[in-house]
Amino acid sequence: MRNFAIALGAALVLGAGAVSAGEYQITVDRVQIDTGDFTRTGVGFNGASPGPVLRFREGEDVTIRVTNNLSESTSIHWHGLILPFQQDGVPGISYPGIPTGETFTYRFPIVQSGTYWFHSHTGFQEPDGAYGAIVIEPKEPEPYAWDREYVVQLADAHPHSGNRIMRNLKMMPDYYNRKQRTLFDFLGDAEDKGFGAALSDRKAWGDMRMMPTDIEDLQGFTPLINGKGPAQNWTGLFSPGERVRLRFINSSAMTYFDIRIPGLEMTVVQADGNEVQPVVVDEFRIAVAETFDVIVEPKDDRAYTIFAESMGRTAYGR
């Protein structure tokens, strides 16, 4: 077997901490997050970030007991799942939240199938690491086959906590914009386009109170794939000729990723848990909270790289 190195985003690997369907125990904990670029304290589930892969089956009833080990309130929201509103997990709207030291029991039916995810809906716990994956097996066989599968959960980890990031952005909206244009950029534009055209372009951006480099809310983050940064090299195995299903989940706080696997086409078979007419692509863009399931067929006995580049082109996972 050869390596299947996958790019970007914080998440978790299918089989790593995976549990059987039915009843689950989840704890919300302080954890250490190591991206390869930096290490900081964050929030996780069952002592890790990302949390476990929860596997359900369409048609069953699940019971999930969530214990809060934090010194603050917490919650879990089941992103994309159709369920009674009391079980949705949004504090102040669908329920009060989970106080320190207490356990809340979620009970709901599974009425759908596909790839989803779960995360805290309290404060900035989710961008601080409180997220995990959900895989729901359908009642009926799916119209496509695969030999093995992996969850590929993406995230954008920042050395600053979510609270600190919000405080800084409220003081200065471009606080984290490290690619601002300078006078020398303007002079370069004037040389290429002419002074009038360069001035008109700069005035247009000024009228909008925007900059052409303001694509991302912040820069300086490390993209994670299943909780590992680019230098940590998350790896999945395959045998040449196998059909491999990759369940992409974008659990980022704000980053859109462009996904490609150089040397491999991807056949998209699901979007946000819904089956789609299969379409073959070389690259796709995944927005915050979206999920895409793709099938790849690596023929050669070599390593491939899953590459996830931020839309602002300031960072990548692999």
Side-chain angles (χ1 to χ4, degrees):
M1 289 186 176
R2 296 293 296 175
N3 288 342
F4 200 15
I6 284 186
L8 185 72
L12 60 105
V13 184
L14 185 67
V19 291
S20 60
E23 294 197 6
Y24 300 82
Q25 305 284 341
I26 294 179
T27 59
V28 187
D29 312 292
R30 289 288 172 196
V31 300
Q32 287 297 113
I33 297 176
D34 179 7
T35 70
D37 292 329
F38 60 87
T39 300
R40 74 170 180 86
T41 300
V43 181
F45 297 128
N46 290 359
S49 174
V53 176
L54 302 182
R55 295 191 67 90
F56 304 146
R57 185 166 182 82
E58 184 182 6
E60 71 176 349
D61 295 318
V62 299
T63 299
I64 307 170
R65 296 179 178 86
V66 180
T67 300
N68 181 9
N69 291 332
L70 303 178
S71 59
E72 61 195 59
S73 179
T74 192
S75 61
I76 291 185
H77 167 65
W78 315 99
H79 197 105
L81 296 197
I82 302 169
L83 36 64
F85 77 89
Q86 300 93 336
Q87 307 299 308
D88 191 51
V90 180
I93 297 179
S94 58
Y95 81 145
I98 309 173
T100 299
E102 294 193 12
T103 297
F104 182 86
T105 301
Y106 291 89
R107 292 187 176 91
F108 51 86
I110 302 299
V111 299
Q112 63 205 98
S113 62
T115 303
Y116 302 92
W117 64 299
F118 64 98
H119 57 87
S120 172
H121 228 303
T122 300
F124 297 100
Q125 293 174 6
E126 181 262 309
D128 285 345
Y131 59 88
I134 297 172
V135 175
I136 305 177
E137 299 177 16
K139 282 183 179 179
E140 303 297 331
E142 292 170 303
Y144 35 83
W146 68 95
D147 301 298
R148 71 174 71 212
E149 65 175 29
Y150 291 102
V151 168
V152 184
Q153 198 161 13
L154 313 175
D156 49 1
H158 199 278
H160 292 175
S161 69
N163 279 316
R164 182 176 177 183
I165 289 171
M166 179 59 73
R167 184 180 71 242
N168 290 337
L169 289 176
K170 283 189 173 182
M171 289 191 302
M172 185 185 301
D174 59 346
Y175 186 96
Y176 292 99
N177 189 340
R178 301 181 177 182
K179 301 290 185 180
Q180 297 193 33
R181 290 172 61 79
T182 67
L183 172 62
F184 295 103
D185 293 315
F186 174 76
L187 294 176
D189 289 346
E191 183 177 355
D192 293 338
K193 307 175 186 177
F195 181 81
L199 184 63
S200 177
D201 180 71
R202 183 62 63 93
K203 182 177 183 300
W205 285 105
D207 289 343
M208 294 186 289
R209 301 295 190 268
M210 293 179 65
M211 293 169 287
T213 56
D214 189 19
I215 296 175
E216 299 166 326
D217 291 328
L218 70 157
Q219 294 159 10
F221 60 91
T222 297
L224 303 178
I225 290 180
N226 295 334
K228 295 187 179 297
Q232 295 170 321
N233 195 38
W234 178 82
T235 300
L237 299 178
F238 71 95
S239 294
E242 285 186 327
R243 292 166 58 86
V244 183
R245 180 173 184 168
L246 303 175
R247 299 177 181 266
F248 285 92
I249 304 170
N250 188 355
S251 301
S252 298
M254 63 94 205
T255 305
Y256 285 42
F257 287 109
D258 292 325
I259 308 294
R260 57 189 178 276
I261 306 175
L264 278 184
E265 292 181 330
M266 299 174 283
T267 302
V268 180
V269 295
Q270 277 192 12
D272 294 325
N274 299 297
E275 291 182 2
V276 299
Q277 181 70 35
V279 57
V280 177
V281 300
D282 293 315
E283 180 176 312
F284 66 90
R285 175 168 293 173
I286 185 168
V288 172
E290 285 187 329
T291 73
F292 283 98
D293 288 31
V294 309
I295 293 177
V296 296
E297 298 184 58
K299 304 294 187 183
D300 298 329
D301 185 18
R302 67 178 182 86
Y304 293 84
T305 295
I306 297 179
F307 195 78
E309 190 172 22
S310 73
M311 187 173 70
R313 300 296 185 259
T314 66
Y316 65 86
R318 66 167 182 83

